[in-house]
């Protein structure tokens, strides 16, 4: 039992040591990645954005503004051209995907939206201005007559309950009750 516990402790200690070594390696890799990104950013900025020299006179300042505006315009044109190319390529991809589905025989079903319409609105949409019939669904229901049940007949025959109580009150009423039951 003692040998097994020592072995388990050694295994857990080794696991802990490996975990700590892996975390140290990961931390150094993250630091290297961060420093590499920072250096790439600095290189890009030094290439594309030279340091700004502020001229002393207003004429030189206006010339600098014109140059900056020209650079901004060129960048915006390039951005627009790239966006158009991306839109065109995505449209071509969609068309090719649709052709591929057509060739395979599997048709992609477009996403459908749930539309709540009344029967009248649906008929009007289908038939257009020709639709003049108002569709009242309740008007087309069958009229069902209730059949008289025995209980309902008894209730109607009994009539007003106060009259029955008055008739059955006193000895005379009790005598009638016994006679009617037998």
């Amino acid at each position: 039992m003692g040998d097994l516990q020592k072995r388990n402790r050694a295994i857990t200690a080794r696991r802990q040591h490996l975990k700590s070594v892996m975390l140290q390696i990961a931390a150094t890799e993250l630091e290297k990645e961060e420093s590499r990104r920072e250096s790439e950013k600095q290189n890009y900025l030094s290439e594309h954005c030279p340091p700004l020299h502020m001229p002393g006179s207003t004429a030189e300042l206006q010339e600098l503004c014109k140059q900056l505006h020209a650079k901004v315009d060129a960048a915006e044109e390039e951005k627009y051209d790239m966006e158009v190319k991306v839109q065109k390529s995505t449209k071509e991809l969609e068309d090719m995907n649709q052709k591929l589905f057509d060739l395979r025989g599997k048709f992609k079903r477009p996403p459908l939206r749930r539309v709540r319409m009344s029967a009248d609105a649906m008929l009007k949409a289908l038939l257009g201005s020709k639709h003049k019939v108002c569709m009242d669904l309740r008007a087309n229901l069958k009229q069902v007559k209730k059949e008289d049940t025995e209980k309902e007949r008894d209730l109607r025959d009994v009539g007003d309950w106060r009259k029955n109580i008055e008739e059955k009150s006193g000895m005379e009423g009790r005598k009638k009750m016994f006679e009617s039951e037998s």
Side-chain angles (χ1 to χ4, degrees):
M1 186 76 173
D3 186 38
L4 185 63
Q5 285 179 347
K6 287 181 186 177
R7 187 171 178 225
N8 285 342
R9 285 186 193 152
I11 291 173
T12 56
R14 177 137 174 88
R15 281 186 191 153
Q16 292 296 327
H17 176 67
L18 288 174
K19 282 183 185 178
S20 64
V21 170
M22 287 174 61
L23 287 174
Q24 287 174 354
I25 292 171
T28 57
E29 289 293 324
L30 284 175
E31 289 173 5
K32 287 179 187 176
E33 180 71 22
E34 187 66 32
S35 64
R36 187 184 59 79
R37 283 186 185 168
E38 190 64 34
S39 65
E40 284 180 3
K41 182 179 176 183
Q42 291 300 326
N43 290 338
Y44 182 82
L45 288 176
S46 65
E47 283 179 25
H48 290 77
C49 301
L52 186 62
H53 300 290
M54 293 298 289
S57 69
T58 56
E60 291 175 353
L61 193 58
Q62 285 177 344
E63 185 61 33
L64 179 65
C65 285
K66 287 179 184 177
Q67 290 174 357
L68 290 175
H69 275 290
K71 285 184 180 180
V72 167
D73 288 340
E76 286 292 323
E77 285 178 19
E78 190 176 328
K79 176 185 158 197
Y80 178 76
D81 291 341
M82 292 288 209
E83 286 176 352
V84 168
K85 284 181 184 177
V86 167
Q87 287 175 352
K88 187 176 179 182
S89 61
T90 53
K91 179 67 175 159
E92 287 176 3
L93 277 173
E94 288 175 0
D95 291 342
M96 286 182 184
N97 280 336
Q98 190 63 40
K99 285 180 184 177
L100 187 68
F101 278 115
D102 291 345
L103 290 174
R104 286 186 184 165
K106 295 179 183 177
F107 296 100
K108 186 176 182 182
R109 185 177 283 168
L112 301 175
R113 292 185 297 137
R114 178 169 287 177
V115 179
R116 297 184 184 271
M117 291 179 89
S118 67
D120 290 331
M122 212 173 291
L123 283 173
K124 194 171 188 179
L126 290 173
L127 302 175
S129 60
K130 296 177 185 176
H131 172 67
K132 293 178 183 174
V133 180
C134 182
M135 188 157 183
D136 186 13
L137 297 175
R138 290 188 178 141
N140 295 336
L141 294 176
K142 267 187 179 177
Q143 293 291 330
V144 178
K145 290 186 180 179
K146 271 189 177 176
E147 292 186 21
D148 293 337
T149 60
E150 275 188 45
K151 286 184 181 180
E152 289 176 354
R153 279 192 220 131
D154 289 344
L155 287 174
R156 268 189 274 136
D157 292 344
V158 166
D160 193 11
W161 59 275
R162 288 171 285 208
K163 290 180 183 175
N164 287 340
I165 298 273
E166 289 172 4
E167 287 176 7
K168 293 179 181 177
S169 64
M171 286 305 285
E172 211 47 49
R174 292 184 196 272
K175 185 176 174 187
K176 285 181 184 175
M177 275 179 42
F178 284 117
E179 288 173 1
S180 65
E181 286 179 4
S182 54

